[in-house]
């Protein structure tokens, strides 16, 4: 299968590598020049469950693909949320009538961007439990196991995804069809929509926040806004299960002493955050559905204020 | 006049000093042992508009006044907001049927505490533009000019405050009666209710916050909640004037580079804040009046989370 990995960071590198190992015709597209140059020269290198591997995979800079001829059967989207629209614009000439587009970004509402370029019947919305890291440009660290749930957004249902699922499974990526992908996506978004913004604004790890006597009321207020919006989108959220998953982040013995990814982005690396695609998406959808979302609004505004005060880029 | 200064920090020292200079019978009550010991030994010292002055004024520790006989004509309250109830409890034996109690604390809703101990007809609620600083225990720095607006909360109006106003003016404290003290108090609370909590949570000075593109929408959301509550209390708030005063805090040429007092309390001195008596008071009053106050709620909760994460005391 001819596959574009659009966004070849840590996760894109994992998917590109595993699909290339399984003999697919893969190209990578990214925007980080040093990463691209390293992969062009040395191939994509990875510590893959303890073994050093190298795959020679073509890689292109996103701004330099107008002359590339590649009619993709499948595009797997792994950009940062704020780069999604630009990426879709860049690759639109490689996306034909039959190209399936699988979106595995964190956050919610990405389908609203993608459907400007691709009919709903070709969009697969997914949620993955795979993890990945980058040790430096061109060098990934890929440990452990994972899975993918995905769903077609059009009316054609499971059949339209069969071929993509087969290709993913042939590459040992453990994909399966879901009839309820939005519920998984909203559940994950609730964890990100609380831990990410709150730990960033409070300059805190998850355990220290979770042990304050206001953690419950803040988290419940935010999750309630997510749940009201999710309900309008026919995504059922089991609020008790969501709250239990959030509380599991406070555990000092496991991940409680860690800072979530948004904290890393802004407070460590001085980068703009994805808040507009997590809490900010709930605000936009709340406006459409007539749902009040003051906690998500205020948290989104505070994170933007913090980005600007820190002059993040 | 027999006057108790209840809370003899910077502002209490100013009022105690000026009223004592004007030949009133003044005692100071405070809870900071080193400050008390220094004043007992050396008197209250001050750089008073450039001149070094010393006034020998009796001072007592708040926990050690049960045996002090002093029938006050006037109590001037200058505690931290969270210490008000404890102070009223400590001094209640010195407060008789005719004792006037003048409250000059920042924040709103203090009358709800005071009226547990004193009839409304004896409570004077005030707002002062005087400033003061402490250079160390027993040593104040008192520069510039100021004024006091005050109002009686009972039905007796201006006459019940005449004597107190005369005594304050005799000490050059520039007091005058107001028919609308709640409006001044709410206006000042709007400035504190935005700059204090926001700059604390964002770890920012006022100018850096004010220059973000979300400053206006955040400030307007918070001020709107204050204004709705103020209206229920018959305190008219000129929202444009309030917003203009808040924006004047962003000016880098004047005070924009400063951090507000709550930032100093928590981020510099690791002390608990007065948030419950500013934004938190709006939340409590909003519940009584059936007004939604999500921005004040969330900001109050965030500041409490920050206090606990920093283990403030």
């Amino acid at each position: 299968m001819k596959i574009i990995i659009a966004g070849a960071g840590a996760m894109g590198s994992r998917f590109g590598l595993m699909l290339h190992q399984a003999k697919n015709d893969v190209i990578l597209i990214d925007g980080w020049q040093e990463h691209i140059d390293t992969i062009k020269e040395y191939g994509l290198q990875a510590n893959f469950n303890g073994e050093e591997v190298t795959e020679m995979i073509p890689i292109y800079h996103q701004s330099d693909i107008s002359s590339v001829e590649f009619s993709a059967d499948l595009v797997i989207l792994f950009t940062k949320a704020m780069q999604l629209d630009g990426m879709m614009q860049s690759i639109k000439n490689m996306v034909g009538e039959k190209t399936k587009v699988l979106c595995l970004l964190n956050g919610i509402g990405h389908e609203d961007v993608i459907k400007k370029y691709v009919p709903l019947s070709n969009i697969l919305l997914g949620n993955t439990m795979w993890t990945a890291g980058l040790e430096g440009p061109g060098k990934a660290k890929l440990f452990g196991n994972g899975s993918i749930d995905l769903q077609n957004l059009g009316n054609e249902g499971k059949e339209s995804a069969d071929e993509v699922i087969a290709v993913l499974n042939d590459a040992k990526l453990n994909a399966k069809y879901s009839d309820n992908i939005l519920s998984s996506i909203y559940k994950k978004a609730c964890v990100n929509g609380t831990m990410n913004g709150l730990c960033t604004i409070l300059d805190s790890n998850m355990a220290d926040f979770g042990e304050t006597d206001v953690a419950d009321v803040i988290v419940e207020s935010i999750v309630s806004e997510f749940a009201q919006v999710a309900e309008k989108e026919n995504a059922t959220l089991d609020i008790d299960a969501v709250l239990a998953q959030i509380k599991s982040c406070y555990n000092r013995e496991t991940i409680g002493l860690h800072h979530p990814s948004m904290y890393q982005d802004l407070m460590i690396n001085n980068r703009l955050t994805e808040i507009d695609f997590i809490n900010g998406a709930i605000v936009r959808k709340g406006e459409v559905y007539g749902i009040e979302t003051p906690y998500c609004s205020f948290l989104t505004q505070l994170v933007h204020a913090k980005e600007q005060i820190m002059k993040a880029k």
Side-chain angles (χ1 to χ4, degrees), chain A residues 278-300:
Chain A
I278 308 171
N279 305 82
I282 294 298
V283 175
R284 290 192 299 279
K285 286 176 180 284
E287 281 165 9
V288 172
Y289 297 128
I291 294 167
E292 302 273 329
T293 57
Y295 270 64
C296 284
S297 287
F298 195 8
L299 187 56
T300 302

Side-chain angles (χ1 to χ4, degrees), chain A residues 143-282:
Chain A
F143 278 77
N145 218 325
S147 61
I148 308 163
D149 283 357
L150 61 86
Q151 184 173 17
N152 177 257
L153 288 189
N155 298 319
E156 295 160 45
K158 184 173 179 308
E159 270 176 43
S160 70
D162 278 349
E163 202 183 348
V164 169
I165 287 175
V167 166
L168 293 169
N169 283 334
D170 195 42
K172 303 192 176 68
L173 281 160
N174 299 340
K176 69 172 198 296
Y177 197 79
S178 165
D179 289 317
N180 199 13
I181 195 67
L182 276 181
S183 292
S184 320
I185 286 174
Y186 268 96
K187 187 175 181 186
K188 194 170 178 179
C190 283
V191 180
N192 288 324
T194 48
M195 293 300 94
N196 269 311
L198 294 169
C199 290
T200 300
I201 283 301
L202 292 168
D203 193 2
S204 172
N205 64 38
M206 297 189 282
D208 284 349
F209 166 72
E211 288 169 11
T212 68
D213 62 18
V214 290
D216 285 354
V217 63
I218 293 176
V219 163
E220 285 164 20
S221 300
I222 293 173
V223 168
S224 162
E225 294 176 6
F226 275 76
Q228 289 173 69
V229 168
E231 192 183 349
K232 292 282 183 182
E233 305 217 315
N234 297 315
T236 48
L237 259 192
D238 177 343
I239 292 186
D240 288 342
V242 169
L243 295 177
Q245 190 173 343
I246 291 169
K247 283 181 187 178
S248 74
C249 298
Y250 307 158
N251 187 339
R252 289 181 183 271
E253 309 296 317
T254 55
I255 56 172
L257 298 178
H258 285 83
H259 293 90
S261 61
M262 186 178 290
Y263 183 98
Q264 311 264 356
D265 284 343
L266 180 56
M267 305 297 277
I268 308 289
N269 298 315
N270 208 32
R271 292 207 193 119
L272 294 171
T273 73
E274 296 186 302
I275 194 77
D276 280 338
F277 305 91
I278 308 171
N279 305 82
I282 294 298

Side-chain angles (χ1 to χ4, degrees), chain A residues 39-82:
Chain A
I39 293 175
K40 274 189 174 158
E41 187 161 354
Y42 302 106
L44 174 61
Q45 301 171 281
N47 182 333
F48 189 45
N49 294 320
E51 190 182 345
E52 297 296 334
V53 301
T54 300
E55 294 286 318
M56 297 305 297
I57 311 178
I59 183 163
Y60 302 94
H61 194 287
Q62 154 175 11
S63 66
D64 192 29
I65 51 176
S66 54
S67 63
V68 178
E69 296 217 0
F70 192 85
S71 297
D73 301 307
L74 172 64
V75 174
I76 305 182
L77 294 167
F78 267 127
T79 62
K80 283 270 179 192
M82 48 281 205

